[in-house]
Amino acid sequence: MIPRLGEESPGWLPDDSHPLLFGRLQVSLNLPGRAFPARMTEAARLALRDELTSTLWPQGLPPRHGLLARLGGEHWEFLSERWLQEPADWGHGEALLVVEEGEGRDTLLVGEDHLRLGLRARPEELEEAARDLDGRCRTLEAGAGLAKDESGRRLVANPFLCGSGCHGSLVLHLPALAWWGQVEEQLDPLYECGLSYRTWQEGFGDYVVLENVRGDAWPDGEAPPAEGPVLLTLRRLLEAARRLEEAERSARSQLKRHRRLEVEDRVLRALALCRAARLMGYPELVEQLSLLRLGRQLKEAGWELPALPGPFTRLLLSLAPAHLALRGDAARDGRQASALRARLLRAALD
């Protein structure tokens, strides 16, 4: 990851044609008979890291790796925006982050748990990625073993994820549901299924993160599934996402029937504003790019709109505050950063 910090956007971001932007899968694991890293000595943490490394990479680590402790505060925010990670309060000084060659994935050794396997993937690659994570879990279980309770559920630092240790999240763009004020109506019932949602970028309801809040990927009293709990967690999320996508398509048909002129007006105003702006704050950028991304999809669906440049999804990250700060020629997100963001946005839309 560290040699790639200067890149504008990660390779796993999709184009603008699908309501599902991308997914994130994460599974936390612990070895039996060991304390959590926060209660380990430094020597024990380093020994644990070496044991995990030799089990998962017997031929040696992938080419790209580095200590998280080398990153400054501005880089942590960059990682939060780019990789959707939130640093913990302990353990990261000795944590080893591995980004495997050619993949948008990471492995955190010695964090809150002994091991965290995580990755981000395009929608069409999520199931294959989930099988890969389940396979790595089986490799570790066959070697060092996994910490479990009497019923066979995995034990992790986050009590809500005990069971499978899995956390999955899908980022969806639902502008038509947000237009009609139906986001909460569609998503609130998911709490009964062990799922939750939150806004993704700057509090705008157009972009929603759908995620599981429990690690119980199989019913009480049943043995762990043979096909893997990460894959089961993902399938639960994808099924909910498919229902939301159907609701989004229905809301868009209502827009075409009742609000077509207003939608086209707002999309074209957003395009004109982005092409002419000399100052652009990030919250305003998120709002305008939501409209442009919607317009691009509506044009693909047959609406008579002018050609819209893109992709707009990548601009959401490449023009975020910490990305601009990494360039070294912009302040955090003040006037100088707003001017730089507007200039880069105009260049991208030419």
Side-chain angles (χ1 to χ4, degrees), residues 2 7 15 45-47 79 126 144 160 173 184 190 193 207 229 252 279 317:
I2 290 177
E7 292 184 4
D15 57 25
R45 285 197 298 268
L46 294 176
L79 294 179
L126 281 170
F160 295 102
H173 184 216
E184 291 81 2
L190 295 176
C193 305
Y207 297 94
R252 292 186 184 191
L279 292 172
L317 291 186

Side-chain angles (χ1 to χ4, degrees), residues 25-349:
L25 296 171
Q26 177 181 301
V27 58
S28 298
L29 303 168
N30 291 290
L31 276 59
R34 316 286 181 92
F36 284 133
R39 296 184 177 274
M40 283 183 174
T41 64
E42 180 179 1
R45 285 197 298 268
L46 294 176
L48 172 64
R49 190 184 72 185
D50 292 342
E51 181 179 352
L52 291 170
T53 301
S54 62
T55 301
L56 291 175
W57 294 280
Q59 304 302 320
L61 287 171
R64 292 170 178 165
H65 63 278
L67 292 175
L68 293 184
R70 297 177 186 172
L71 302 181
E74 74 279 5
H75 292 147
W76 271 120
E77 184 169 351
F78 174 83
L79 294 179
S80 178
E81 291 175 355
R82 176 169 177 176
W83 301 95
L84 305 184
Q85 291 177 183
E86 297 178 0
D89 295 330
W90 63 75
H92 284 238
E94 297 80 26
L96 181 67
L97 184 69
V98 178
V99 178
E100 297 186 40
E101 191 73 41
E103 298 287 348
R105 61 185 63 187
D106 63 60
T107 302
L108 182 61
L109 305 179
V110 195
E112 294 178 273
D113 293 280
H114 298 159
L115 171 66
R116 187 185 73 204
L117 299 167
L119 58 87
R120 293 105 189 112
R122 296 169 183 261
E124 61 273 16
E125 298 170 357
L126 281 170
E127 291 210 12
E128 179 182 350
R131 291 188 180 92
D132 177 73
L133 283 188
D134 280 324
R136 288 172 182 253
C137 294
R138 287 191 291 270
T139 297
L140 187 62
E141 186 170 17
L146 298 178
K148 297 180 180 180
D149 63 14
E150 295 87 352
S151 61
R153 285 170 166 74
R154 298 169 183 168
L155 298 175
V156 297
N158 184 340
F160 295 102
L161 297 181
C162 284
S164 66
C166 302
H167 179 258
S169 58
L170 305 177
V171 179
L172 297 130
H173 184 216
L174 306 173
L177 287 175
W179 185 294
W180 295 114
Q182 297 177 357
V183 172
E184 291 81 2
E185 174 186 333
Q186 293 292 331
L187 274 71
D188 282 351
L190 295 176
Y191 283 103
E192 299 178 3
C193 305
L195 305 179
S196 68
Y197 69 95
R198 55 187 171 86
T199 53
W200 177 47
Q201 290 281 15
E202 294 292 317
F204 285 97
D206 294 20
Y207 297 94
V208 171
V209 180
L210 180 66
E211 55 193 348
N212 66 303
V213 293
R214 301 196 306 263
D216 52 350
W218 58 91
D220 290 337
E222 293 188 11
E227 61 182 343
V230 180
L231 184 57
L232 282 184
T233 299
L234 173 64
R235 286 178 175 171
R236 289 171 58 200
L237 289 166
L238 288 175
E239 178 59 31
R242 280 190 284 269
R243 294 197 298 268
L244 289 172
E245 290 170 16
E246 291 175 3
E248 172 71 11
R249 285 193 291 270
S250 176
R252 292 186 184 191
S253 67
Q254 294 298 314
L255 285 178
K256 184 175 182 180
R257 185 177 300 119
H258 302 292
R259 293 290 187 271
R260 179 163 187 157
L261 189 61
E262 290 90 332
V263 172
E264 292 179 353
D265 177 73
R266 289 189 60 183
V267 169
L268 294 176
R269 283 174 182 266
L271 180 61
L273 188 153
C274 290
R275 281 178 164 167
R278 294 304 187 263
L279 292 172
M280 179 67 71
Y282 189 60
E284 183 181 11
L285 175 77
V286 174
E287 181 180 7
Q288 303 307 324
L289 290 183
S290 174
L291 288 167
L292 292 177
R293 194 173 190 275
L294 172 63
R296 190 180 183 91
Q297 294 172 356
L298 293 178
K299 182 174 177 60
E300 293 174 357
W303 286 43
E304 295 179 1
L305 287 166
L308 295 171
F312 301 113
T313 304
R314 295 181 180 273
L315 294 176
L316 282 171
L317 291 186
S318 65
L319 299 181
H323 284 254
L324 296 186
L326 279 176
R327 295 173 177 267
D329 55 356
R332 292 274 303 144
D333 199 25
R335 185 182 183 87
Q336 184 180 5
S338 295
L340 174 60
R341 181 179 294 108
R343 178 166 58 82
L344 295 173
L345 179 62
R346 295 196 308 272
L349 299 183

